[in-house]
C-alpha cells in the first residue's frame, strides 16, 4: 500500500492526486456505473454488483440507483437498510451504516475535509473523518451528514437537515445546523 492511501485510511492529511488512489477511483467508476445501470436486473445480480463495490453489505440491503461514492471499500451497510435514489457517500474515510436504517433521497454522508490554510488547500491536502449511523435511524430526504459525525440509534433527522455535530440516540433533530427538538419515546 502506498503512503497516500495509508495516510488516507489512517485519517491523516494526504494528497489524493496519487496513482494508487487514481486506480481505486477508476475501479469505483466502473463498479458504480455497472450498479447504476442494473436497475432492472434481478435482485441477486444487483446485490452481487453492490457487494463488489462496497466494503461490507448485507444481502437484505436495498440501494436505489443512482448511487455515488468515492471508493466504496470504506462503506459498511447493515442488514435491512434501505437507501433511496441519489445517495452520495463520500468514503475517503470510514462510513458505517447500522441495521434497519432508512435513508431518504439525495442524502449525503461526507467524510472528506480540506485544509483551512489556503496554501495547503491549493496544494490539495485533505483528510477524512468517519461517519457512523446507528441502528434504526431515519435520515429524511436531502439530509447532509458532515465529517466526523455519529448519529445514535433510533434517531430521526428531518428532511434537509445539516448534521454538523453528533446526535444522541432516540431523538428528533431538524434544521441547519441540525438541533435536537425532542426525545423519541
Amino acid at each position: 500500500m502506498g503512503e497516500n492511501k495509508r495516510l488516507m485510511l489512517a485519517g491523516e492529511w494526504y494528497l489524493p492526486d496519487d496513482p494508487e488512489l487514481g486506480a481505486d477511483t477508476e475501479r469505483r467508476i466502473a463498479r458504480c456505473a455497472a450498479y447504476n445501470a442494473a436497475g432492472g436486473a434481478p435482485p441477486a445480480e444487483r446485490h452481487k454488483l453492490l457487494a463488489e463495490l462496497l466494503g461490507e453489505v448485507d444481502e437484505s440491503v436495498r440501494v436505489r440507483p443512482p448511487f455515488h461514492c468515492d471508493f466504496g471499500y470504506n462503506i459498511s451497510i447493515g442488514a435491512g437498510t434501505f437507501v433511496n435514489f441519489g445517495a452520495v457517500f463520500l468514503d475517503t474515510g470510514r462510513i458505517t451504516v447500522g441495521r434497519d436504517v432508512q435513508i431518504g433521497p439525495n442524502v449525503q454522508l461526507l467524510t472528506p475535509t480540506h485544509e483551512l490554510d489556503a496554501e495547503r488547500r491549493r496544494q490539495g491536502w485533505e483528510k477524512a473523518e468517519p461517519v457512523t449511523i446507528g441502528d434504526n435511524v431515519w435520515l429524511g430526504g436531502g439530509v447532509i451528514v458532515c465529517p466526523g459525525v455519529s448519529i445514535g440509534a433510533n434517531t430521526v433527522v428531518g428532511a434537509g437537515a445539516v448534521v454538523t455535530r453528533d446526535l444522541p440516540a432516540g431523538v428528533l433533530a431538524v434544521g441547519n445546523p441540525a438541533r435536537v427538538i425532542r426525545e423519541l419515546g
Side-chain angles (χ1 to χ4, degrees), residues 8 11 14 67-71 74-75 86-97 103 106-114 126-133 139 142-151 160-166 176:
M8 180 188 81
Y14 73 99
F67 173 79
H68 301 283
C69 60
D70 268 332
F71 297 106
N74 283 326
I75 300 171
V88 175
F89 289 14
L90 297 187
D91 66 309
T92 55
R94 189 87 181 124
I95 294 176
T96 305
V97 178
I103 296 180
N106 300 312
V107 166
Q108 299 176 43
L109 305 182
L110 312 174
T111 67
T113 184
H114 300 279
E126 67 178 60
K127 69 176 182 173
E129 298 177 15
V131 167
T132 303
I133 310 298
L139 302 177
V143 166
I144 298 172
V145 180
C146 292
V149 168
S150 291
I151 298 176
V162 178
V163 187
T164 60
R165 296 188 177 155
D166 291 352
N176 180 6

Side-chain angles (χ1 to χ4, degrees), residues 155 158 175:
T155 284

Side-chain angles (χ1 to χ4, degrees), residues 7-104:
L7 290 169
M8 180 188 81
L9 294 173
E12 298 184 28
W13 292 104
Y14 73 99
L15 292 168
D17 187 14
D18 174 271
E20 181 179 19
L21 294 174
D24 287 352
T25 296
E26 291 300 318
R27 171 195 155 278
R28 182 268 307 161
I29 289 170
R31 289 183 176 169
C32 261
Y35 181 75
N36 289 333
E45 183 179 325
R46 286 194 317 269
H47 178 74
K48 180 179 182 284
L49 292 168
L50 192 61
E52 290 172 357
L53 173 64
L54 303 181
E56 186 178 335
V57 60
D58 186 85
E59 65 184 42
S60 64
V61 168
R62 293 177 297 140
V63 177
R64 287 187 171 168
F67 173 79
H68 301 283
C69 60
D70 268 332
F71 297 106
Y73 52 68
N74 283 326
I75 300 171
S76 170
I77 303 178
T81 290
F82 172 74
V83 180
N84 215 324
F85 303 107
V88 175
F89 289 14
L90 297 187
D91 66 309
T92 55
R94 189 87 181 124
I95 294 176
T96 305
V97 178
R99 300 172 63 93
D100 302 310
V101 174
Q102 300 294 311
I103 296 180

